[in-house]
Amino acid sequence: NAGVTQTPKFRILKIGQSMTLQCAQDMNHNYMYWYRQDPGMGLKLIYYSVGAGITDKGEVPNGYNVSRSTTEDFPLRLELAAPSQTSVYFCASSNPGQEGYTFGSGTRLTVV
Amino acid sequence: GENVEQHPSTLSVQEGDSAVIKCTYSDSASNYFPWYKQELGKGPQLIIDIRSNVGEKKDQRIAVTLNKTAKHFSLHITETQPEDSAVYFCALRGTSGTYKYIFGTGTRLKVLA
């Protein structure tokens, strides 16, 4: 039981490049989330999903896209990377009726 | 909308002393308040939580208290140890029904040996 797996762990992008951050969970959780963590700013919700085929915007969705074609996977897509997207990205999952998120170990992204 | 403020942003204590981190919130309908610990290079991990129908909850050296009237909740760590050094986040569940959490800005706790 791996929990929530995020890849890659580190990535450096040039301005204008695109990439996909991968997130997979093996706990059969319905809900999945993407957060970004900036120094002194806590965790901000980017996008979330309550099940396969259903996604919705969080607090800071601009510049990102998501898809949820399966229960297990919830990739986050960055198009036209900007320096403001330099951050640590965390994926999390949970189930209705159960409290607490399970977080992945994060992806540290630098845009130069 | 929902908001949570967390203080202090940094906290240094001597090993064996107690540490207290406080969070205040604005939405009186919030009903679930978890605390997460984030060690260096890792994702946050749930360490304790409390529901709105309970005033205090303890788990060994950590406890959480909730004051619904004043709309604040606190994490208490007693007999601190070096391995308690980490960033701690409070959170609350939004009332939208989708289990979205609103997180505080974090407290970096340093336990000095």
PDB file of all heavy atoms in Angstrom, chain A residues 31 33 35 37 40-43 45 48 90 96-97 99-101 103-105, chain B residues 32 36 38 41-44 46 49 51 89 93 98-101 103-105:
ATOM      1  N   TYR A  31     -11.981  11.390  -3.297  1.00  0.00           N
ATOM      2  CA  TYR A  31     -11.598  12.796  -3.390  1.00  0.00           C
ATOM      3  C   TYR A  31     -10.100  12.930  -3.556  1.00  0.00           C
ATOM      4  O   TYR A  31      -9.329  12.276  -2.852  1.00  0.00           O
ATOM      5  CB  TYR A  31     -12.016  13.556  -2.119  1.00  0.00           C
ATOM      6  CG  TYR A  31     -13.500  13.647  -1.874  1.00  0.00           C
ATOM      7  CD1 TYR A  31     -13.977  14.068  -0.630  1.00  0.00           C
ATOM      8  CD2 TYR A  31     -14.429  13.330  -2.838  1.00  0.00           C
ATOM      9  CE1 TYR A  31     -15.326  14.163  -0.370  1.00  0.00           C
ATOM     10  CE2 TYR A  31     -15.782  13.419  -2.599  1.00  0.00           C
ATOM     11  CZ  TYR A  31     -16.233  13.837  -1.356  1.00  0.00           C
ATOM     12  OH  TYR A  31     -17.575  13.925  -1.114  1.00  0.00           O
ATOM     13  N   TYR A  33      -6.942  16.126  -4.398  1.00  0.00           N
ATOM     14  CA  TYR A  33      -6.710  17.567  -4.308  1.00  0.00           C
ATOM     15  C   TYR A  33      -5.283  17.883  -4.766  1.00  0.00           C
ATOM     16  O   TYR A  33      -4.377  17.079  -4.565  1.00  0.00           O
ATOM     17  CB  TYR A  33      -6.847  18.054  -2.859  1.00  0.00           C
ATOM     18  CG  TYR A  33      -8.050  17.533  -2.116  1.00  0.00           C
ATOM     19  CD1 TYR A  33      -8.027  16.281  -1.517  1.00  0.00           C
ATOM     20  CD2 TYR A  33      -9.202  18.308  -1.996  1.00  0.00           C
ATOM     21  CE1 TYR A  33      -9.133  15.808  -0.817  1.00  0.00           C
ATOM     22  CE2 TYR A  33     -10.307  17.835  -1.298  1.00  0.00           C
ATOM     23  CZ  TYR A  33     -10.264  16.581  -0.717  1.00  0.00           C
ATOM     24  OH  TYR A  33     -11.357  16.110  -0.036  1.00  0.00           O
ATOM     25  N   TYR A  35      -2.578  20.998  -4.003  1.00  0.00           N
ATOM     26  CA  TYR A  35      -2.247  22.212  -3.259  1.00  0.00           C
ATOM     27  C   TYR A  35      -0.861  22.691  -3.702  1.00  0.00           C
ATOM     28  O   TYR A  35      -0.014  21.900  -4.080  1.00  0.00           O
ATOM     29  CB  TYR A  35      -2.185  21.937  -1.758  1.00  0.00           C
ATOM     30  CG  TYR A  35      -3.525  21.807  -1.078  1.00  0.00           C
ATOM     31  CD1 TYR A  35      -4.193  20.589  -1.031  1.00  0.00           C
ATOM     32  CD2 TYR A  35      -4.119  22.911  -0.465  1.00  0.00           C
ATOM     33  CE1 TYR A  35      -5.425  20.472  -0.398  1.00  0.00           C
ATOM     34  CE2 TYR A  35      -5.348  22.801   0.176  1.00  0.00           C
ATOM     35  CZ  TYR A  35      -5.992  21.583   0.203  1.00  0.00           C
ATOM     36  OH  TYR A  35      -7.205  21.480   0.827  1.00  0.00           O
ATOM     37  N   GLN A  37       2.379  25.053  -2.065  1.00  0.00           N
ATOM     38  CA  GLN A  37       2.871  25.550  -0.786  1.00  0.00           C
ATOM     39  C   GLN A  37       3.980  26.538  -1.051  1.00  0.00           C
ATOM     40  O   GLN A  37       5.043  26.174  -1.553  1.00  0.00           O
ATOM     41  CB  GLN A  37       3.388  24.398   0.088  1.00  0.00           C
ATOM     42  CG  GLN A  37       3.866  24.852   1.453  1.00  0.00           C
ATOM     43  CD  GLN A  37       4.355  23.699   2.299  1.00  0.00           C
ATOM     44  OE1 GLN A  37       4.898  22.718   1.808  1.00  0.00           O
ATOM     45  NE2 GLN A  37       4.143  23.796   3.604  1.00  0.00           N
ATOM     46  N   GLY A  40       5.702  30.701   3.998  1.00  0.00           N
ATOM     47  CA  GLY A  40       4.914  31.617   4.811  1.00  0.00           C
ATOM     48  C   GLY A  40       3.469  31.765   4.382  1.00  0.00           C
ATOM     49  O   GLY A  40       2.741  32.578   4.946  1.00  0.00           O
ATOM     50  N   MET A  41       3.054  30.983   3.403  1.00  0.00           N
ATOM     51  CA  MET A  41       1.701  31.164   2.865  1.00  0.00           C
ATOM     52  C   MET A  41       0.821  29.945   3.090  1.00  0.00           C
ATOM     53  O   MET A  41      -0.318  29.922   2.668  1.00  0.00           O
ATOM     54  CB  MET A  41       1.773  31.452   1.362  1.00  0.00           C
ATOM     55  CG  MET A  41       2.513  32.720   1.029  1.00  0.00           C
ATOM     56  SD  MET A  41       1.693  34.174   1.697  1.00  0.00           S
ATOM     57  CE  MET A  41       0.248  34.238   0.690  1.00  0.00           C
ATOM     58  N   GLY A  42       1.322  28.937   3.723  1.00  0.00           N
ATOM     59  CA  GLY A  42       0.497  27.758   3.936  1.00  0.00           C
ATOM     60  C   GLY A  42       0.219  27.013   2.650  1.00  0.00           C
ATOM     61  O   GLY A  42       0.973  27.098   1.681  1.00  0.00           O
ATOM     62  N   LEU A  43      -0.872  26.305   2.637  1.00  0.00           N
ATOM     63  CA  LEU A  43      -1.251  25.475   1.492  1.00  0.00           C
ATOM     64  C   LEU A  43      -2.470  26.092   0.817  1.00  0.00           C
ATOM     65  O   LEU A  43      -3.487  26.347   1.469  1.00  0.00           O
ATOM     66  CB  LEU A  43      -1.572  24.054   1.958  1.00  0.00           C
ATOM     67  CG  LEU A  43      -0.391  23.270   2.500  1.00  0.00           C
ATOM     68  CD1 LEU A  43      -0.849  22.249   3.525  1.00  0.00           C
ATOM     69  CD2 LEU A  43       0.329  22.572   1.367  1.00  0.00           C
ATOM     70  N   LEU A  45      -5.320  25.695  -2.237  1.00  0.00           N
ATOM     71  CA  LEU A  45      -5.954  24.698  -3.081  1.00  0.00           C
ATOM     72  C   LEU A  45      -5.998  25.169  -4.526  1.00  0.00           C
ATOM     73  O   LEU A  45      -6.504  26.259  -4.818  1.00  0.00           O
ATOM     74  CB  LEU A  45      -7.364  24.414  -2.561  1.00  0.00           C
ATOM     75  CG  LEU A  45      -8.165  23.347  -3.294  1.00  0.00           C
ATOM     76  CD1 LEU A  45      -7.504  21.978  -3.149  1.00  0.00           C
ATOM     77  CD2 LEU A  45      -9.590  23.293  -2.754  1.00  0.00           C
ATOM     78  N   TYR A  48      -9.542  20.409  -7.271  1.00  0.00           N
ATOM     79  CA  TYR A  48      -9.916  19.208  -6.565  1.00  0.00           C
ATOM     80  C   TYR A  48     -10.892  18.396  -7.405  1.00  0.00           C
ATOM     81  O   TYR A  48     -11.448  18.888  -8.398  1.00  0.00           O
ATOM     82  CB  TYR A  48     -10.497  19.508  -5.182  1.00  0.00           C
ATOM     83  CG  TYR A  48     -11.830  20.221  -5.194  1.00  0.00           C
ATOM     84  CD1 TYR A  48     -13.021  19.529  -5.008  1.00  0.00           C
ATOM     85  CD2 TYR A  48     -11.894  21.601  -5.365  1.00  0.00           C
ATOM     86  CE1 TYR A  48     -14.238  20.183  -5.007  1.00  0.00           C
ATOM     87  CE2 TYR A  48     -13.095  22.269  -5.367  1.00  0.00           C
ATOM     88  CZ  TYR A  48     -14.270  21.565  -5.184  1.00  0.00           C
ATOM     89  OH  TYR A  48     -15.472  22.224  -5.180  1.00  0.00           O
ATOM     90  N   PHE A  90       1.675  19.719  -3.676  1.00  0.00           N
ATOM     91  CA  PHE A  90       1.261  18.517  -2.960  1.00  0.00           C
ATOM     92  C   PHE A  90      -0.069  18.017  -3.480  1.00  0.00           C
ATOM     93  O   PHE A  90      -1.012  18.785  -3.669  1.00  0.00           O
ATOM     94  CB  PHE A  90       1.115  18.786  -1.460  1.00  0.00           C
ATOM     95  CG  PHE A  90       2.422  18.952  -0.750  1.00  0.00           C
ATOM     96  CD1 PHE A  90       2.896  20.212  -0.422  1.00  0.00           C
ATOM     97  CD2 PHE A  90       3.178  17.845  -0.416  1.00  0.00           C
ATOM     98  CE1 PHE A  90       4.113  20.368   0.228  1.00  0.00           C
ATOM     99  CE2 PHE A  90       4.391  17.979   0.236  1.00  0.00           C
ATOM    100  CZ  PHE A  90       4.860  19.241   0.558  1.00  0.00           C
ATOM    101  N   PRO A  96     -15.093  10.382   1.428  1.00  0.00           N
ATOM    102  CA  PRO A  96     -16.236  10.918   2.170  1.00  0.00           C
ATOM    103  C   PRO A  96     -16.535  10.029   3.374  1.00  0.00           C
ATOM    104  O   PRO A  96     -16.464   8.803   3.283  1.00  0.00           O
ATOM    105  CB  PRO A  96     -17.370  10.882   1.145  1.00  0.00           C
ATOM    106  CG  PRO A  96     -16.932   9.954   0.080  1.00  0.00           C
ATOM    107  CD  PRO A  96     -15.446  10.005   0.053  1.00  0.00           C
ATOM    108  N   GLY A  97     -16.826  10.650   4.481  1.00  0.00           N
ATOM    109  CA  GLY A  97     -17.112   9.904   5.695  1.00  0.00           C
ATOM    110  C   GLY A  97     -15.886   9.586   6.515  1.00  0.00           C
ATOM    111  O   GLY A  97     -16.000   9.128   7.648  1.00  0.00           O
ATOM    112  N   GLU A  99     -12.255  11.253   7.954  1.00  0.00           N
ATOM    113  CA  GLU A  99     -11.575  12.530   8.117  1.00  0.00           C
ATOM    114  C   GLU A  99     -10.090  12.397   7.808  1.00  0.00           C
ATOM    115  O   GLU A  99      -9.507  11.339   7.941  1.00  0.00           O
ATOM    116  CB  GLU A  99     -11.763  13.045   9.542  1.00  0.00           C
ATOM    117  CG  GLU A  99     -13.200  13.277   9.919  1.00  0.00           C
ATOM    118  CD  GLU A  99     -13.836  14.449   9.181  1.00  0.00           C
ATOM    119  OE1 GLU A  99     -13.203  15.036   8.280  1.00  0.00           O
ATOM    120  OE2 GLU A  99     -14.970  14.788   9.498  1.00  0.00           O
ATOM    121  N   GLY A 100      -9.505  13.505   7.454  1.00  0.00           N
ATOM    122  CA  GLY A 100      -8.062  13.556   7.254  1.00  0.00           C
ATOM    123  C   GLY A 100      -7.657  13.280   5.828  1.00  0.00           C
ATOM    124  O   GLY A 100      -8.211  12.415   5.159  1.00  0.00           O
ATOM    125  N   TYR A 101      -6.708  14.052   5.354  1.00  0.00           N
ATOM    126  CA  TYR A 101      -6.117  13.839   4.053  1.00  0.00           C
ATOM    127  C   TYR A 101      -4.896  12.935   4.185  1.00  0.00           C
ATOM    128  O   TYR A 101      -4.201  12.964   5.200  1.00  0.00           O
ATOM    129  CB  TYR A 101      -5.584  15.154   3.473  1.00  0.00           C
ATOM    130  CG  TYR A 101      -6.573  16.163   2.977  1.00  0.00           C
ATOM    131  CD1 TYR A 101      -7.936  15.980   3.036  1.00  0.00           C
ATOM    132  CD2 TYR A 101      -6.112  17.360   2.431  1.00  0.00           C
ATOM    133  CE1 TYR A 101      -8.810  16.939   2.572  1.00  0.00           C
ATOM    134  CE2 TYR A 101      -6.975  18.318   1.958  1.00  0.00           C
ATOM    135  CZ  TYR A 101      -8.326  18.106   2.033  1.00  0.00           C
ATOM    136  OH  TYR A 101      -9.180  19.059   1.566  1.00  0.00           O
ATOM    137  N   PHE A 103      -1.412  12.878   2.228  1.00  0.00           N
ATOM    138  CA  PHE A 103      -0.630  13.687   1.298  1.00  0.00           C
ATOM    139  C   PHE A 103       0.471  12.864   0.639  1.00  0.00           C
ATOM    140  O   PHE A 103       1.013  11.928   1.244  1.00  0.00           O
ATOM    141  CB  PHE A 103       0.048  14.849   2.042  1.00  0.00           C
ATOM    142  CG  PHE A 103      -0.844  16.020   2.303  1.00  0.00           C
ATOM    143  CD1 PHE A 103      -1.567  16.101   3.481  1.00  0.00           C
ATOM    144  CD2 PHE A 103      -0.935  17.053   1.385  1.00  0.00           C
ATOM    145  CE1 PHE A 103      -2.386  17.192   3.729  1.00  0.00           C
ATOM    146  CE2 PHE A 103      -1.753  18.148   1.629  1.00  0.00           C
ATOM    147  CZ  PHE A 103      -2.481  18.216   2.800  1.00  0.00           C
ATOM    148  N   GLY A 104       0.824  13.256  -0.571  1.00  0.00           N
ATOM    149  CA  GLY A 104       2.033  12.758  -1.196  1.00  0.00           C
ATOM    150  C   GLY A 104       3.233  13.498  -0.636  1.00  0.00           C
ATOM    151  O   GLY A 104       3.101  14.402   0.183  1.00  0.00           O
ATOM    152  N   SER A 105       4.420  13.144  -1.112  1.00  0.00           N
ATOM    153  CA  SER A 105       5.651  13.734  -0.592  1.00  0.00           C
ATOM    154  C   SER A 105       6.042  15.017  -1.306  1.00  0.00           C
ATOM    155  O   SER A 105       7.019  15.660  -0.940  1.00  0.00           O
ATOM    156  CB  SER A 105       6.797  12.723  -0.657  1.00  0.00           C
ATOM    157  OG  SER A 105       6.954  12.282  -1.998  1.00  0.00           O
TER     158      SER A 105
ATOM    159  N   TYR B  32     -14.836  20.782  11.885  1.00  0.00           N
ATOM    160  CA  TYR B  32     -13.769  19.788  11.989  1.00  0.00           C
ATOM    161  C   TYR B  32     -12.437  20.498  11.858  1.00  0.00           C
ATOM    162  O   TYR B  32     -12.235  21.285  10.932  1.00  0.00           O
ATOM    163  CB  TYR B  32     -13.918  18.732  10.893  1.00  0.00           C
ATOM    164  CG  TYR B  32     -12.782  17.742  10.843  1.00  0.00           C
ATOM    165  CD1 TYR B  32     -12.594  16.825  11.866  1.00  0.00           C
ATOM    166  CD2 TYR B  32     -11.874  17.753   9.784  1.00  0.00           C
ATOM    167  CE1 TYR B  32     -11.529  15.938  11.827  1.00  0.00           C
ATOM    168  CE2 TYR B  32     -10.819  16.870   9.736  1.00  0.00           C
ATOM    169  CZ  TYR B  32     -10.657  15.957  10.758  1.00  0.00           C
ATOM    170  OH  TYR B  32      -9.611  15.080  10.721  1.00  0.00           O
ATOM    171  N   TYR B  36      -1.738  19.176  11.236  1.00  0.00           N
ATOM    172  CA  TYR B  36      -0.794  18.410  10.436  1.00  0.00           C
ATOM    173  C   TYR B  36       0.632  18.779  10.818  1.00  0.00           C
ATOM    174  O   TYR B  36       0.930  19.936  11.126  1.00  0.00           O
ATOM    175  CB  TYR B  36      -1.003  18.673   8.942  1.00  0.00           C
ATOM    176  CG  TYR B  36      -2.231  18.013   8.389  1.00  0.00           C
ATOM    177  CD1 TYR B  36      -3.483  18.584   8.549  1.00  0.00           C
ATOM    178  CD2 TYR B  36      -2.145  16.794   7.725  1.00  0.00           C
ATOM    179  CE1 TYR B  36      -4.613  17.957   8.071  1.00  0.00           C
ATOM    180  CE2 TYR B  36      -3.266  16.166   7.224  1.00  0.00           C
ATOM    181  CZ  TYR B  36      -4.496  16.753   7.401  1.00  0.00           C
ATOM    182  OH  TYR B  36      -5.614  16.124   6.923  1.00  0.00           O
ATOM    183  N   GLN B  38       4.544  18.610   9.310  1.00  0.00           N
ATOM    184  CA  GLN B  38       5.307  18.434   8.090  1.00  0.00           C
ATOM    185  C   GLN B  38       6.796  18.432   8.406  1.00  0.00           C
ATOM    186  O   GLN B  38       7.353  19.456   8.808  1.00  0.00           O
ATOM    187  CB  GLN B  38       4.997  19.527   7.070  1.00  0.00           C
ATOM    188  CG  GLN B  38       5.688  19.308   5.729  1.00  0.00           C
ATOM    189  CD  GLN B  38       5.373  20.397   4.722  1.00  0.00           C
ATOM    190  OE1 GLN B  38       5.016  21.515   5.079  1.00  0.00           O
ATOM    191  NE2 GLN B  38       5.495  20.069   3.447  1.00  0.00           N
ATOM    192  N   GLY B  41      11.135  17.946   3.750  1.00  0.00           N
ATOM    193  CA  GLY B  41      11.135  17.133   2.545  1.00  0.00           C
ATOM    194  C   GLY B  41       9.986  16.153   2.427  1.00  0.00           C
ATOM    195  O   GLY B  41       9.968  15.313   1.526  1.00  0.00           O
ATOM    196  N   LYS B  42       9.011  16.262   3.330  1.00  0.00           N
ATOM    197  CA  LYS B  42       7.882  15.331   3.306  1.00  0.00           C
ATOM    198  C   LYS B  42       6.561  16.076   3.209  1.00  0.00           C
ATOM    199  O   LYS B  42       6.494  17.285   3.408  1.00  0.00           O
ATOM    200  CB  LYS B  42       7.890  14.466   4.565  1.00  0.00           C
ATOM    201  CG  LYS B  42       9.121  13.582   4.700  1.00  0.00           C
ATOM    202  CD  LYS B  42       9.016  12.705   5.932  1.00  0.00           C
ATOM    203  CE  LYS B  42      10.230  11.798   6.062  1.00  0.00           C
ATOM    204  NZ  LYS B  42      10.143  10.938   7.279  1.00  0.00           N
ATOM    205  N   GLY B  43       5.514  15.324   2.899  1.00  0.00           N
ATOM    206  CA  GLY B  43       4.196  15.903   2.891  1.00  0.00           C
ATOM    207  C   GLY B  43       3.631  16.015   4.298  1.00  0.00           C
ATOM    208  O   GLY B  43       4.088  15.326   5.220  1.00  0.00           O
ATOM    209  N   PRO B  44       2.643  16.876   4.511  1.00  0.00           N
ATOM    210  CA  PRO B  44       2.017  16.997   5.835  1.00  0.00           C
ATOM    211  C   PRO B  44       1.366  15.678   6.255  1.00  0.00           C
ATOM    212  O   PRO B  44       0.845  14.937   5.415  1.00  0.00           O
ATOM    213  CB  PRO B  44       0.963  18.086   5.621  1.00  0.00           C
ATOM    214  CG  PRO B  44       1.419  18.846   4.427  1.00  0.00           C
ATOM    215  CD  PRO B  44       2.087  17.838   3.548  1.00  0.00           C
ATOM    216  N   LEU B  46      -1.310  14.003   9.217  1.00  0.00           N
ATOM    217  CA  LEU B  46      -2.287  14.262  10.267  1.00  0.00           C
ATOM    218  C   LEU B  46      -1.780  13.724  11.609  1.00  0.00           C
ATOM    219  O   LEU B  46      -1.374  12.560  11.703  1.00  0.00           O
ATOM    220  CB  LEU B  46      -3.609  13.588   9.911  1.00  0.00           C
ATOM    221  CG  LEU B  46      -4.748  13.720  10.921  1.00  0.00           C
ATOM    222  CD1 LEU B  46      -5.244  15.155  10.973  1.00  0.00           C
ATOM    223  CD2 LEU B  46      -5.894  12.777  10.569  1.00  0.00           C
ATOM    224  N   ASP B  49      -6.874  15.570  15.568  1.00  0.00           N
ATOM    225  CA  ASP B  49      -7.986  16.365  15.063  1.00  0.00           C
ATOM    226  C   ASP B  49      -9.058  16.466  16.139  1.00  0.00           C
ATOM    227  O   ASP B  49      -9.044  15.711  17.126  1.00  0.00           O
ATOM    228  CB  ASP B  49      -8.547  15.782  13.770  1.00  0.00           C
ATOM    229  CG  ASP B  49      -8.975  14.315  13.899  1.00  0.00           C
ATOM    230  OD1 ASP B  49      -9.081  13.811  15.036  1.00  0.00           O
ATOM    231  OD2 ASP B  49      -9.191  13.677  12.855  1.00  0.00           O
ATOM    232  N   ARG B  51     -13.434  17.543  16.641  1.00  0.00           N
ATOM    233  CA  ARG B  51     -14.709  17.941  16.067  1.00  0.00           C
ATOM    234  C   ARG B  51     -15.353  19.007  16.936  1.00  0.00           C
ATOM    235  O   ARG B  51     -15.009  19.159  18.109  1.00  0.00           O
ATOM    236  CB  ARG B  51     -15.624  16.727  15.939  1.00  0.00           C
ATOM    237  CG  ARG B  51     -15.086  15.679  15.000  1.00  0.00           C
ATOM    238  CD  ARG B  51     -16.022  14.472  14.912  1.00  0.00           C
ATOM    239  NE  ARG B  51     -15.424  13.405  14.132  1.00  0.00           N
ATOM    240  CZ  ARG B  51     -15.493  13.327  12.811  1.00  0.00           C
ATOM    241  NH1 ARG B  51     -16.143  14.247  12.138  1.00  0.00           N
ATOM    242  NH2 ARG B  51     -14.919  12.330  12.168  1.00  0.00           N
ATOM    243  N   PHE B  89       0.732  22.705  10.781  1.00  0.00           N
ATOM    244  CA  PHE B  89      -0.357  23.430  10.136  1.00  0.00           C
ATOM    245  C   PHE B  89      -1.673  23.102  10.826  1.00  0.00           C
ATOM    246  O   PHE B  89      -1.984  21.924  11.059  1.00  0.00           O
ATOM    247  CB  PHE B  89      -0.499  23.012   8.665  1.00  0.00           C
ATOM    248  CG  PHE B  89       0.610  23.477   7.775  1.00  0.00           C
ATOM    249  CD1 PHE B  89       1.658  22.638   7.465  1.00  0.00           C
ATOM    250  CD2 PHE B  89       0.596  24.754   7.239  1.00  0.00           C
ATOM    251  CE1 PHE B  89       2.689  23.053   6.637  1.00  0.00           C
ATOM    252  CE2 PHE B  89       1.621  25.180   6.411  1.00  0.00           C
ATOM    253  CZ  PHE B  89       2.670  24.330   6.119  1.00  0.00           C
ATOM    254  N   ARG B  93     -12.222  22.246   8.090  1.00  0.00           N
ATOM    255  CA  ARG B  93     -12.965  21.787   6.934  1.00  0.00           C
ATOM    256  C   ARG B  93     -13.959  22.861   6.550  1.00  0.00           C
ATOM    257  O   ARG B  93     -14.715  23.359   7.374  1.00  0.00           O
ATOM    258  CB  ARG B  93     -13.691  20.483   7.224  1.00  0.00           C
ATOM    259  CG  ARG B  93     -14.412  19.931   6.001  1.00  0.00           C
ATOM    260  CD  ARG B  93     -14.966  18.566   6.264  1.00  0.00           C
ATOM    261  NE  ARG B  93     -15.977  18.582   7.308  1.00  0.00           N
ATOM    262  CZ  ARG B  93     -16.245  17.526   8.074  1.00  0.00           C
ATOM    263  NH1 ARG B  93     -15.567  16.417   7.922  1.00  0.00           N
ATOM    264  NH2 ARG B  93     -17.184  17.607   8.974  1.00  0.00           N
ATOM    265  N   THR B  98     -17.587  19.209   0.452  1.00  0.00           N
ATOM    266  CA  THR B  98     -16.702  18.398  -0.379  1.00  0.00           C
ATOM    267  C   THR B  98     -15.400  18.045   0.341  1.00  0.00           C
ATOM    268  O   THR B  98     -14.461  17.620  -0.274  1.00  0.00           O
ATOM    269  CB  THR B  98     -16.347  19.135  -1.676  1.00  0.00           C
ATOM    270  OG1 THR B  98     -15.783  20.396  -1.342  1.00  0.00           O
ATOM    271  CG2 THR B  98     -17.573  19.310  -2.539  1.00  0.00           C
ATOM    272  N   TYR B  99     -15.381  18.221   1.637  1.00  0.00           N
ATOM    273  CA  TYR B  99     -14.209  17.900   2.426  1.00  0.00           C
ATOM    274  C   TYR B  99     -12.987  18.724   2.023  1.00  0.00           C
ATOM    275  O   TYR B  99     -11.862  18.275   2.193  1.00  0.00           O
ATOM    276  CB  TYR B  99     -13.902  16.398   2.369  1.00  0.00           C
ATOM    277  CG  TYR B  99     -14.920  15.606   3.149  1.00  0.00           C
ATOM    278  CD1 TYR B  99     -16.162  15.329   2.609  1.00  0.00           C
ATOM    279  CD2 TYR B  99     -14.644  15.173   4.428  1.00  0.00           C
ATOM    280  CE1 TYR B  99     -17.107  14.629   3.336  1.00  0.00           C
ATOM    281  CE2 TYR B  99     -15.587  14.465   5.158  1.00  0.00           C
ATOM    282  CZ  TYR B  99     -16.817  14.202   4.610  1.00  0.00           C
ATOM    283  OH  TYR B  99     -17.741  13.513   5.327  1.00  0.00           O
ATOM    284  N   LYS B 100     -13.168  19.911   1.502  1.00  0.00           N
ATOM    285  CA  LYS B 100     -12.048  20.813   1.253  1.00  0.00           C
ATOM    286  C   LYS B 100     -11.589  21.397   2.577  1.00  0.00           C
ATOM    287  O   LYS B 100     -12.411  21.813   3.391  1.00  0.00           O
ATOM    288  CB  LYS B 100     -12.448  21.941   0.315  1.00  0.00           C
ATOM    289  CG  LYS B 100     -12.701  21.516  -1.112  1.00  0.00           C
ATOM    290  CD  LYS B 100     -12.928  22.705  -1.993  1.00  0.00           C
ATOM    291  CE  LYS B 100     -14.229  23.405  -1.674  1.00  0.00           C
ATOM    292  NZ  LYS B 100     -14.462  24.562  -2.583  1.00  0.00           N
ATOM    293  N   TYR B 101     -10.279  21.440   2.773  1.00  0.00           N
ATOM    294  CA  TYR B 101      -9.735  22.009   3.986  1.00  0.00           C
ATOM    295  C   TYR B 101      -9.131  23.380   3.696  1.00  0.00           C
ATOM    296  O   TYR B 101      -8.544  23.597   2.635  1.00  0.00           O
ATOM    297  CB  TYR B 101      -8.632  21.119   4.562  1.00  0.00           C
ATOM    298  CG  TYR B 101      -9.105  19.787   5.105  1.00  0.00           C
ATOM    299  CD1 TYR B 101      -8.194  18.831   5.509  1.00  0.00           C
ATOM    300  CD2 TYR B 101     -10.449  19.471   5.215  1.00  0.00           C
ATOM    301  CE1 TYR B 101      -8.605  17.605   6.005  1.00  0.00           C
ATOM    302  CE2 TYR B 101     -10.877  18.249   5.700  1.00  0.00           C
ATOM    303  CZ  TYR B 101      -9.940  17.318   6.102  1.00  0.00           C
ATOM    304  OH  TYR B 101     -10.343  16.105   6.584  1.00  0.00           O
ATOM    305  N   PHE B 103      -6.199  25.762   5.151  1.00  0.00           N
ATOM    306  CA  PHE B 103      -5.019  25.592   5.991  1.00  0.00           C
ATOM    307  C   PHE B 103      -4.528  26.930   6.534  1.00  0.00           C
ATOM    308  O   PHE B 103      -4.634  27.969   5.870  1.00  0.00           O
ATOM    309  CB  PHE B 103      -3.887  24.947   5.199  1.00  0.00           C
ATOM    310  CG  PHE B 103      -4.081  23.475   4.959  1.00  0.00           C
ATOM    311  CD1 PHE B 103      -4.838  23.025   3.892  1.00  0.00           C
ATOM    312  CD2 PHE B 103      -3.522  22.544   5.825  1.00  0.00           C
ATOM    313  CE1 PHE B 103      -5.035  21.666   3.687  1.00  0.00           C
ATOM    314  CE2 PHE B 103      -3.712  21.186   5.618  1.00  0.00           C
ATOM    315  CZ  PHE B 103      -4.474  20.749   4.548  1.00  0.00           C
ATOM    316  N   GLY B 104      -3.967  26.879   7.732  1.00  0.00           N
ATOM    317  CA  GLY B 104      -3.245  28.018   8.271  1.00  0.00           C
ATOM    318  C   GLY B 104      -1.900  28.154   7.574  1.00  0.00           C
ATOM    319  O   GLY B 104      -1.528  27.328   6.748  1.00  0.00           O
ATOM    320  N   THR B 105      -1.169  29.203   7.921  1.00  0.00           N
ATOM    321  CA  THR B 105       0.088  29.514   7.244  1.00  0.00           C
ATOM    322  C   THR B 105       1.280  28.752   7.815  1.00  0.00           C
ATOM    323  O   THR B 105       2.374  28.852   7.300  1.00  0.00           O
ATOM    324  CB  THR B 105       0.376  31.013   7.298  1.00  0.00           C
ATOM    325  OG1 THR B 105       0.241  31.463   8.640  1.00  0.00           O
ATOM    326  CG2 THR B 105      -0.598  31.788   6.416  1.00  0.00           C
TER     327      THR B 105
END
